[in-house]
Amino acid sequence: MSRLVIVSNRVADPRKAASGGLAVAVGQALEASGGLWFGWSGKVVENGTPGEGDLHLHNAGNVQLATVDLSREDHDSYYLGYSNGVLWPVFHYRLDLADFDAGYIGGYRRVNQMMAHKLAGLLRPDDIIWVHDYHLIPLAAELRAMGCQQRMGFFLHVPLPPPLILAAVPEHDWLMRSLFAYDLVGFQSDSDVAHFSRYVGTETGADILGEHEFRAFGKTLQVQAFPIGIDVDEFTELGQAREAQDMYTQIRDEYSRRRLLLGVERMDYSKGLPQRLKAFRQLLQAYPENLGSATLIQIAAPSRESVDAYASLRQELESLCGAINGNFGELDWMPVRYIHRNVARKRLPGLYRAASVALVTPLRDGMNLVAKEFVAAQDPDDPGVLVLSRFAGAVEQMHDALLVNPYDTTRTAETIQRALQMPLEERQRRHQTLLAGIREQDVHWWRQRFLDALAAVPAP
Ligand code: GDG
């Protein structure tokens, strides 16, 4: 059996449950074949030389973890700069937030080259290599340039934007050409695949050989949607543990006379937080029966705080929350409880279960796992309602959520009101279908489909 090699920006110890669904799922596949997980160590060396970094090897069971340190300059240009200051905003359709002129591309190329160089020394001829996400798009091209001929697949966790948006990235043709060094490229949704197909059709003159097969730059590439899921069983177990149960009882008791709405995410401009708060304010204005009752708990876990766009988002949110609480709050009721801290993963299922409505309303999202976690955590006899943005990748699978356009404040407020008033029988019916869907297409299904498709790519 070939060894599986996972490459991602960050590496997690798959044995630690706190690492979450992806680490657990990938970890299981690694353990089954005795694998290698390679990426950045998370360490930044202040006066380190760009393009150089120490390699660390650890064993976690029969999985080898290999990590590389980054110099400050490499970290700032590859990670904060090009990955999170150019690719992340553009791939989420936010050209206005992308910093194209700062020269970050040099660091992005340099780190991908360095990673490829370090990884190449650890590879065996029959390894199967699975690279994750936008930080590492050119990795396979760098490995191929060093003569590596292993089977290589790539999965993009974020959306791929339409061609005219992608074309705003000065290096767009180089990035897309780099993808052809892989044997298989996976996206989250059919709409991402459609964007890819349109891009290569118009910009590169690729031959579209079939629904999933493209030929350009002398190379044939398989492309498919593999919507990522969660580990439903792991999450259900987490919900039965004491921390989640305590959280559930505490919140349920505290809100026994009120209706709880919940938002949980990393603080990120793609998640539509200001728009959500405006819709919630509209709910209070348009449906006054919610005054004194409807309460939004919004967890916005700190994320990428040294990227400028994130600091201004934080200010905007603080000001919106302050204004809503100031204008509508009473001595014994505050409409918004905004928490700019990380909540322990073990407590999340309890929080989800206590909520009547989850607001998952990103402006653009590759998939959105919070939507799936919320469904997994519900009591099937008395489930909460999922309000889901039509711009989340999850929408292609979760038709039984209440769908909204987060830019349309009035209709979003209307839909939240509908969610709050939904009869029990309809809630149960929708939840049952949603749960069956996320169970069937869980993270193990996702991983297996990707690896099967990669194994099935014809040898060159
Ligand atoms: C990227 C893509 C795609 C959130 N707040 C806390 C916390 N979380 C956890 C959630 C969930 C995860 O973080 C967030 O996953 P999402 O999928 O919602 O979003 P991204 O982080 O943007 O992930 C996305 C995903 O990759 C997978 O492919 O779905 O589209 O953007 O698991 O529970 N966890 C803890 N405390 C928090 O405060 N412990």
Side-chain angles (χ1 to χ4, degrees), residues 94-217:
R94 293 298 302 269
L95 295 180
D96 57 320
L97 296 178
D99 191 356
F100 294 120
D101 293 328
Y104 297 134
I105 183 66
Y108 184 75
R109 286 186 186 199
R110 188 167 60 235
V111 170
N112 271 276
Q113 260 162 9
M114 192 242 306
M115 295 255 200
H117 186 72
K118 302 269 180 195
L119 176 60
L122 302 172
L123 291 178
R124 301 175 190 158
D126 67 339
D127 280 344
I128 289 196
I129 305 169
W130 186 4
V131 180
H132 290 258
D133 230 357
Y134 58 101
H135 316 84
L136 297 167
I137 292 171
L139 194 84
E142 297 294 350
L143 287 169
R144 299 274 187 233
M146 290 174 207
C148 298
Q149 291 177 356
Q150 288 85 348
R151 222 163 257 254
M152 297 185 203
F154 176 80
F155 184 76
L156 186 68
H157 289 257
V158 298
L160 188 77
L164 276 182
I165 291 187
L166 191 56
V169 182
E171 302 79 22
H172 65 96
D173 47 356
W174 169 75
L175 284 167
M176 297 301 275
R177 178 188 284 259
S178 301
L179 283 179
F180 278 80
Y182 293 94
D183 300 295
L184 171 69
V185 167
F187 294 109
Q188 296 273 24
S189 69
D190 289 336
S191 71
D192 302 316
V193 174
H195 293 156
F196 178 86
S197 172
R198 269 175 44 211
Y199 178 94
V200 295
T202 55
E203 298 278 336
T204 71
D207 291 327
I208 302 180
L209 306 178
E211 199 188 342
H212 302 305
E213 204 172 57
F214 300 83
R215 186 158 182 86
F217 317 113

Side-chain angles (χ1 to χ4, degrees), residues 157 188 266 271 342-343 345 365-369 373:
H157 289 257
Q188 296 273 24
R266 287 184 304 100
K271 304 293 181 183
N342 195 57
V343 171
R345 183 168 166 80
D365 216 326
M367 175 55 57
N368 196 298
L369 297 181
E373 291 170 356

Side-chain angles (χ1 to χ4, degrees), residues 218-229:
K219 181 87 203 313
T220 301
L221 175 65
Q222 309 283 328
V223 176
Q224 248 192 84
F226 299 92
I228 194 169

